[in-house]
């Protein structure tokens, strides 16, 4: 027996158990992805502060292009759609650039501490 289209039908206990097992794995993977993204953004925040301190531009198109090509290759090797991987990275890059722009703006508007 399978799940009905509405999701309310009777489900074979073995199917329900396998579904729950798979969903638990998905939930664990989602949690790992969120934690990895948080770590990535901690690093990119540090990059943004370093760039701002040295008046470097928030975006680095050459690096971004290299990263996209690198991620596409990784995706192909992992049997993941490279176009999806590129869209995902472009989304992340856009967010990082937005953060870097904000950090640069905040740094430019900081008032120097007055002496004595």
């Amino acid at each position: 027996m399978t799940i009905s289209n509405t999701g309310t039908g009777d489900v074979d206990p073995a199917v329900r158990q396998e579904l729950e097992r798979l969903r638990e794995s998905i939930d664990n993977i989602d949690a790992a992805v969120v934690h990895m993204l948080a770590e990535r953004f901690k690093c990119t925040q540090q990059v943004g502060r370093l760039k701002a301190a040295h008046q470097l531009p928030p975006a680095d198109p050459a690096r971004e292009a290299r990263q996209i090509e690198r991620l596409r290759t990784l995706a192909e090797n992992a049997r993941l759609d490279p176009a999806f991987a590129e869209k995902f990275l472009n989304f992340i890059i856009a967010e990082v650039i937005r953060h870097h722009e904000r950090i640069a703006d905040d740094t430019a508007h900081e008032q120097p501490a007055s002496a004595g």
Side-chain angles (χ1 to χ4, degrees):
M1 182 179 301
T2 60
I3 300 172
S4 71
N5 288 339
T6 62
T8 59
D10 292 331
V11 177
D12 181 296
V15 171
R16 184 183 318 274
Q17 184 177 7
E18 179 66 1
L19 185 60
E20 284 303 312
R21 184 190 69 77
L22 291 168
R23 286 180 173 165
E24 286 176 17
S25 291
I26 290 167
D27 292 349
N28 289 336
I29 293 165
D30 288 346
V33 167
V34 168
H35 287 282
M36 293 299 293
L37 284 171
E39 285 300 311
R40 188 186 197 287
F41 277 100
K42 286 178 189 174
C43 291
T44 61
Q45 293 292 324
Q46 292 175 7
V47 168
R49 287 190 290 277
L50 186 61
K51 284 181 171 184
H54 296 278
Q55 293 82 41
L56 296 171
D60 184 345
R63 162 117 171 117
E64 294 155 19
R66 288 190 308 272
Q67 285 298 95
I68 288 168
E69 189 56 40
R70 179 177 163 273
L71 195 69
R72 287 184 66 89
T73 299
L74 289 169
E76 288 172 5
N77 292 339
R79 295 192 173 109
L80 179 68
D81 179 5
F84 169 76
E86 183 173 346
K87 288 177 193 174
F88 180 71
L89 186 60
N90 280 327
F91 177 77
I92 291 171
I93 289 170
E95 187 67 9
V96 167
I97 291 169
R98 189 179 69 77
H99 290 179
H100 289 186
E101 289 169 342
R102 189 194 72 237
I103 291 167
D105 188 52
D106 290 349
T107 300
H109 291 95
E110 286 179 355
Q111 297 297 324
S114 59

